[in-house]
Amino acid sequence: MPTVRVEGVDRLVRDLRRAGKEAEKEARKVLKAQGEKMKAHAQNSCPTGDGGALKKSIRAFVSEQTLEASLTAGGKKVDGVDVYYAQFVEYGTRDVKKGEETKTSKRKKHAFDRRGIQETPFMRNAARAHQEETFDKLSDVVAEAYRKGAEG
């Protein structure tokens, strides 16, 4: 199941924890809102050749304990369709020639040529499109927490 993580916010999260519960609450709001934006972006970019099951499987989640956000796709059944293939769509697969052994075929030789799937990075593109905005908004929360702390 593909999962996307926005890089570069670890330091901000540490600073937020130091700033207190109110800053964490505000950061959680930012992460939830940005996660929903990324989810909508990914859903709009997602191929729908499966009747929309892959698109419906996209979820945004913010952990209450760790203050981390994730965007995931696949890994469950949607409308009776097992959406195990989300990672294949996101990252693509390679061509396999007749007689070739692969790990997924349990070391058996393939009986026929199989054309690979071209990658369609709908998840990574959604995360990248909103990464800078997310970082800026979290930075604003940290700056506001520091400002309040300095005035306090």
Side-chain angles (χ1 to χ4, degrees):
M1 156 181 14
T3 300
V4 177
R5 180 182 170 116
V6 176
E7 297 294 327
V9 297
D10 294 340
R11 186 171 146 245
L12 285 174
V13 170
R14 282 194 306 273
D15 290 344
L16 283 169
R17 286 197 181 107
R18 286 188 213 124
K21 294 294 179 191
E22 188 59 34
E24 280 190 39
K25 183 178 171 183
E26 290 302 312
R28 193 166 280 107
K29 286 181 188 177
V30 167
L31 290 173
K32 284 181 180 179
Q34 291 302 109
E36 288 302 315
K37 283 184 180 182
M38 289 180 201
K39 175 183 171 183
H41 188 131
Q43 286 176 326
N44 288 335
S45 305
C46 179
T48 56
D50 59 0
L54 180 58
K55 180 178 183 175
K56 290 177 188 174
S57 78
I58 299 171
R59 301 172 304 286
F61 176 76
V62 178
S63 170
E64 294 294 322
Q65 284 100 13
T66 61
L67 198 61
E68 291 181 352
S70 61
L71 182 68
T72 62
K76 65 177 191 171
K77 282 192 175 186
V78 176
D79 297 337
V81 177
D82 186 0
V83 195
Y84 68 91
Y85 51 86
Q87 62 200 10
F88 304 139
V89 175
E90 178 73 19
Y91 299 107
T93 62
R94 65 182 182 86
D95 294 343
V96 177
K97 299 292 183 194
K98 180 178 178 177
E100 186 177 346
E101 293 180 10
T102 63
K103 290 179 184 176
T104 56
S105 63
K106 298 182 182 176
R107 303 283 185 210
K108 296 177 185 173
K109 294 183 179 185
H110 280 262
F112 53 87
D113 287 348
R114 186 193 77 211
R115 187 169 174 201
I117 301 169
Q118 183 171 344
E119 72 174 347
T120 307
F122 61 101
M123 298 283 286
R124 289 176 285 168
N125 288 349
R128 286 183 190 126
H130 299 279
Q131 182 171 345
E132 188 173 329
E133 178 186 10
T134 302
F135 187 83
D136 289 345
K137 288 183 179 209
L138 287 172
S139 295
D140 291 345
V141 170
V142 171
E144 180 65 16
Y146 281 142
R147 187 187 63 73
K148 284 181 180 179
E151 292 175 354

